[in-house]
Amino acid sequence: MASSNRPLLSRLTIQLGLFMMSGREATQAVHWALQAGYRGFDTAQMYGNEREAGRAIASFLSSRQENRENLRREDIHYTTKLMENGTSYDSVRRSIKDSVEACGLGYVDLFLLHSPYGGKEARLTSWRALEDAVESGEVRMIGVSNFGVRHVEELMASNPRIKPVVNQFEVHPFHTQMPIRKVCKKYDITVEAYAPFARGLRLKHPAVVELANKYSCTTSQLLVKWAMQHNMVTLPKSTRRERMISNVDVGGLQISEQDMRAMDNLDEGFISAWYVSGPAGGSRLRWCEELTQRRNPTNAA
C-alpha cells in the first residue's frame, strides 16, 4: 500500500526534534521553528509533549498574523512514536488513538514503533495496530525507530500489508551505522538520523572544527549537511531560537566527496543518545532508565 504523504517526507530533510522538551519548551520551540521555516516535527509518547506540540502547530496555522504563507495542515509533517510495544492489540490501538487525539491535528503524518523492545510477538502485534490506524485514516505513514538489522528483516519477512517508510535511529559521523543503513536502502526505507550532534559531545572534535572552518559554517551545520548529503532526514534538537535558525540554514553548504569520506572515517561506534540526564517525570524517567541500562536498542531480543 502506497503512502500519500511520502513525497512530503522526501522534501523535509531537516525536522525539529522535541526529545525531552517540557511542554512549555515544546510550545515555544515549535512556534519559533515554524517562523524559521521548519515544517516537520518529531515527538513521542515518551517525550510527554504531544499535546503541546500539536497545539502550537494548530495555533500557528490559524493565525493570520503569523501564518503569512497560508500554510495548511497538509503542509506540516508531524511524527510521534509508540512508547511500548505490546501483545494486546486493543491496548496498542487505544494508545495510538490517544496520541492522535492528544495532538489535535486530525491525524498523525508518521507514527513509529519507538523501539524493538518487547519481543517478536509484541513488535508484530503493534505493527498490525499501526497498519489498521492507517486504514482508518488516523495515521498517514508508519515506520520504526531503533530497529536493528534483525528487527527490520523480521518485519519484512512477516509480509506486512504496509511497509515501513522510516527507520529512525542515532546516526552521525562518529556512529555511522552502515549495516542497518544498508538494510534500509535494500527495502527503500528512509533513514531519519536523530542525535545528529551526538548530544553536543563531538562538536569540538578537531576534525569537525577544522572542516567547519574550511567551509565557513558552524560545526552543527556541518553535521546537519553530512546527514543530508547521505540522503538522510536529520532531526536536530534545540530550544534556542538562534540555533534553530542556524541549523536549518545549510542550503549553500556543499561538502566535497573527499571531506565526506574523511567524516565517514571518524566512525568510532559512539552512542550518545541513550544516556539520559536532567529532570523527567514518572514513566518517562523509568523508560529512559531502562534504555540506559540496555544501552543500544538495535541489539534487543
Side-chain angles (χ1 to χ4, degrees):
M1 179 176 180
S3 173
S4 60
N5 265 27
R6 189 149 191 179
L8 175 61
L9 175 63
S10 68
R11 297 197 304 272
L12 296 173
T13 53
I14 306 176
Q15 301 180 32
L16 185 68
L18 304 178
F19 174 66
M20 295 304 284
M21 290 188 192
S22 69
R24 174 181 288 185
E25 288 174 329
T27 298
Q28 185 64 81
V30 169
H31 179 79
W32 282 339
L34 283 163
Q35 290 180 327
Y38 288 80
R39 298 295 178 257
F41 300 91
D42 179 81
T43 184
Q45 293 175 350
M46 187 270 285
Y47 302 171
N49 54 29
E50 291 174 303
R51 190 176 306 278
E52 290 83 359
R55 285 178 176 175
I57 292 169
S59 175
F60 183 91
L61 293 178
S62 65
S63 172
R64 292 182 179 180
Q65 182 178 0
E66 294 278 307
N67 186 10
R68 297 177 183 177
E69 296 181 36
N70 296 315
L71 297 172
R72 298 174 295 175
R73 169 65 185 91
E74 53 265 37
D75 298 316
I76 305 300
H77 183 84
Y78 175 88
T79 299
T80 193
K81 312 178 196 72
L82 184 74
M83 183 160 67
E84 294 183 273
N85 299 323
T87 56
S88 170
Y89 170 87
D90 291 339
S91 294
V92 176
R93 279 295 282 125
R94 181 66 257 170
S95 184
I96 294 168
K97 289 177 181 290
D98 287 346
S99 281
V100 176
E101 293 170 4
C103 75
L105 296 172
Y107 60 89
V108 167
D109 294 279
L110 177 62
F111 214 120
L112 308 179
L113 301 184
H114 204 154
S115 82
Y117 294 146
K120 179 178 180 178
E121 182 182 356
R123 287 190 290 271
L124 296 183
T125 298
S126 298
W127 188 257
R128 182 163 59 90
L130 283 181
E131 290 176 318
D132 289 345
V134 174
E135 297 286 359
S136 70
E138 299 163 285
V139 175
R140 296 292 174 87
M141 296 182 292
I142 54 178
V144 297
S145 180
N146 299 303
F147 270 41
V149 171
R150 180 169 56 82
H151 306 122
V152 172
E153 293 286 7
E154 170 192 274
L155 177 57
M156 300 308 293
S158 73
N159 193 27
R161 284 176 289 146
I162 303 176
K163 296 179 180 180
V165 298
V166 157
N167 188 7
Q168 183 185 120
F169 47 91
E170 179 175 358
V171 189
H172 45 71
F174 302 94
H175 191 36
T176 59
Q177 300 256 45
M178 285 309 301
I180 184 59
R181 283 168 58 190
K182 288 178 181 178
V183 170
C184 289
K185 184 176 182 179
K186 170 184 173 182
Y187 291 114
D188 193 26
I189 298 171
T190 297
V191 172
E192 289 193 347
Y194 69 69
F197 309 144
R199 295 188 68 204
L201 299 174
R202 291 293 185 273
L203 288 178
K204 295 183 179 180
H205 188 282
V208 173
V209 172
E210 180 180 356
L211 285 173
N213 289 335
K214 174 180 177 178
Y215 289 99
S216 300
C217 65
T218 68
T219 52
S220 296
Q221 288 172 330
L222 185 78
L223 294 175
V224 164
K225 194 65 176 182
W226 175 86
M228 292 174 65
Q229 287 186 214
H230 275 306
N231 299 313
M232 292 184 277
V233 174
T234 185
L235 306 171
K237 173 202 170 182
S238 181
T239 57
R240 295 178 59 177
R241 188 175 194 174
E242 65 274 15
R243 287 185 180 173
M244 288 182 202
I245 295 171
S246 174
N247 291 342
V248 79
D249 185 21
V250 295
L253 175 59
Q254 185 69 25
I255 306 171
S256 71
E257 291 185 11
Q258 179 179 354
D259 289 336
M260 285 291 290
R261 288 194 296 271
M263 293 179 72
D264 293 344
N265 289 334
L266 295 174
D267 190 5
E268 58 184 90
F270 179 70
I271 301 171
S272 70
W274 296 101
Y275 290 113
V276 179
S277 61
S283 60
R284 284 191 292 155
L285 179 58
R286 290 193 295 273
W287 197 87
C288 290
E289 287 175 341
E290 183 178 1
L291 292 178
T292 301
Q293 292 165 6
R294 294 183 181 184
R295 194 65 182 95
N296 187 351
T298 60
N299 296 326

